[in-house]
Amino acid sequence: KEKINMCGFLTYFGDSLEDKQIFNLEKGIKLLNHRGPDNQKKEILFDKKCFLAHTRLNIQDNDIKSNQPFFSSNARYILLFNGEIYNHRKLRESHLSNFNFKTKSDTETLIELWNMYGEESINLLEGMFAFIILDLISYDFFCVRDRFGIKPLYYMKIGKNIILSSEIKPIITAADLKININEKILNDFLSNGLIEHTSETFFKNIVKVSPGSFLKGNIFNENLIKKKWFDLKEVYENKYSFFKPLSFEKKIELLNNCLKEVLEESLISDF
């Protein structure tokens, strides 16, 4: 499993799908099997206006109850999640102590946090993640990427329809597109070695959700809201300004303690 990436998903929101479009989406999710060899599952909802598919690599929990798409306990939300929430056990104790969990997975922790706190729950998360949550009552969907963009999240808008995925190839397959190279981005890369300076990709009309950002939309509305939920400079100035006047030795001590804590949290799946 060392060479296998962590999970993958492919999602569609928009007009009711025709059989050929569902076939193309199913072809697309098969292109993510290398990311999630342990389980593949899909849900088609709201008169074929939503297609949600996931390929799972078991990390923190081998229980089949943790397979995705994953529904919240009150059946209001459905989740597709790629990544790992390092502090999910702490979050269960601090924010969900009265909840009766059915699994040991960070997937269930994530969706129940959202169930309780909505968008504000993003700021509680420590880890690497990309996830999509659909509200089955309001029909709103949220597409979230971690602070530094460790986990990938791509999308393509086609009219009022949108396709999202952990990789670009499934989007091209699902949309049944000919490959169109984004010459500007290709030139940026060949001339200056630039690749992460923009949300655009090497393929026209396929873009990335920026690190520390999320998209919000509604399956019955083509408007798409893009919002930055994390800014490193802003966090440093607001939370770590005390760091500047400290002595060099004190800074080293604090940095060592911080690194130790982060490493311990990131090893959660090894125990």
Side-chain angles (χ1 to χ4, degrees):
K1 291 187 178 180
E2 309 83 60
K3 297 182 180 180
I4 302 175
N5 290 302
M6 193 187 298
C7 300
F9 53 73
L10 175 63
T11 306
Y12 167 92
F13 300 119
D15 293 325
S16 294
L17 292 161
E18 298 178 359
D19 290 343
K20 182 180 179 182
Q21 292 173 301
I22 293 175
F23 176 76
N24 289 335
L25 284 160
E26 290 174 340
K27 281 173 59 180
I29 195 62
K30 289 178 182 178
L31 296 176
L32 294 175
N33 283 348
H34 64 284
R35 299 181 67 95
D38 296 316
N39 182 261
Q40 294 81 38
K41 183 182 171 186
K42 71 175 185 290
E43 296 281 350
I44 301 175
L45 306 169
F46 301 128
D47 192 30
K48 302 180 182 179
K49 293 182 183 296
C50 302
F51 178 99
L52 305 102
H54 186 270
T55 61
R56 182 185 176 198
L57 174 65
N58 296 344
I59 297 293
Q60 293 194 19
D61 183 9
N62 293 322
D63 195 329
I64 61 173
K65 293 178 182 177
S66 297
N67 290 342
Q68 302 176 45
F70 193 98
F71 288 86
S72 60
S73 57
N74 61 358
R76 174 169 182 172
Y77 299 102
I78 185 170
L79 168 69
L80 295 175
F81 166 50
N82 168 32
E84 189 172 12
I85 308 301
Y86 299 145
N87 64 332
H88 93 95
R89 292 173 185 168
K90 291 182 180 179
L91 289 171
R92 287 189 176 202
E93 295 174 1
S94 61
H95 290 76
L96 298 167
S97 58
N98 294 323
F99 184 77
N100 183 26
F101 287 94
K102 297 179 181 179
T103 75
K104 297 179 180 179
S105 70
D106 50 354
T107 302
E108 188 175 15
T109 306
L110 173 56
I111 198 166
E112 294 307 333
L113 272 174
W114 191 280
N115 195 12
M116 184 169 289
Y117 299 101
E119 293 177 37
E120 296 302 316
S121 62
I122 306 173
N123 296 297
L124 300 172
L125 306 177
E126 296 175 9
M128 51 181 179
F129 49 84
F131 64 85
I132 297 174
I133 286 184
L134 172 64
D135 187 329
L136 300 176
I137 294 178
S138 70
Y139 309 113
D140 291 332
F141 59 84
F142 298 82
C143 314
V144 185
R145 196 174 180 200
D146 62 64
R147 291 170 178 80
F148 301 107
I150 299 173
K151 288 300 167 184
L153 182 53
Y154 301 94
Y155 70 96
M156 182 177 191
K157 197 87 164 62
I158 310 171
K160 60 182 179 180
N161 304 327
I162 186 171
I163 302 174
L164 306 103
S165 182
S166 303
E167 294 184 7
I168 291 176
K169 289 184 291 184
I171 295 177
I172 294 173
T173 300
D176 198 17
L177 295 173
K178 292 182 179 179
I179 295 176
N180 292 309
I181 299 299
N182 187 330
E183 295 181 1
K184 176 183 177 297
I185 301 303
L186 181 61
N187 182 65
D188 287 347
F189 175 69
L190 295 177
S191 300
N192 303 301
L194 298 175
I195 190 170
E196 293 294 341
H197 62 301
T198 175
S199 61
E200 294 184 58
T201 70
F202 289 112
F203 303 90
K204 285 184 178 179
N205 302 318
I206 298 179
V207 296
K208 295 175 283 192
V209 175
S210 299
S213 300
F214 71 77
L215 303 178
K216 179 181 178 180
N218 187 285
I219 63 174
F220 294 105
N221 188 325
E222 63 182 282
N223 295 331
L224 200 61
I225 298 171
K226 303 175 185 179
K227 183 177 179 180
K228 189 84 172 172
W229 67 269
F230 175 82
D231 183 272
L232 181 59
K233 183 178 180 181
E234 182 180 313
V235 169
Y236 177 77
E237 291 177 348
N238 292 339
K239 191 175 180 180
Y240 296 103
S241 56
F242 75 91
F243 199 72
K244 295 178 182 179
L246 298 178
S247 67
F248 179 75
E249 290 75 16
K250 187 62 176 178
K251 288 178 180 178
I252 293 298
E253 180 186 345
L254 289 173
L255 180 60
N256 283 333
N257 291 339
C258 182
L259 288 173
K260 182 179 179 181
E261 182 180 346
V262 169
L263 286 171
E264 288 176 350
E265 287 185 345
S266 65
L267 292 173
I268 184 174
S269 294
D270 295 334
F271 298 98

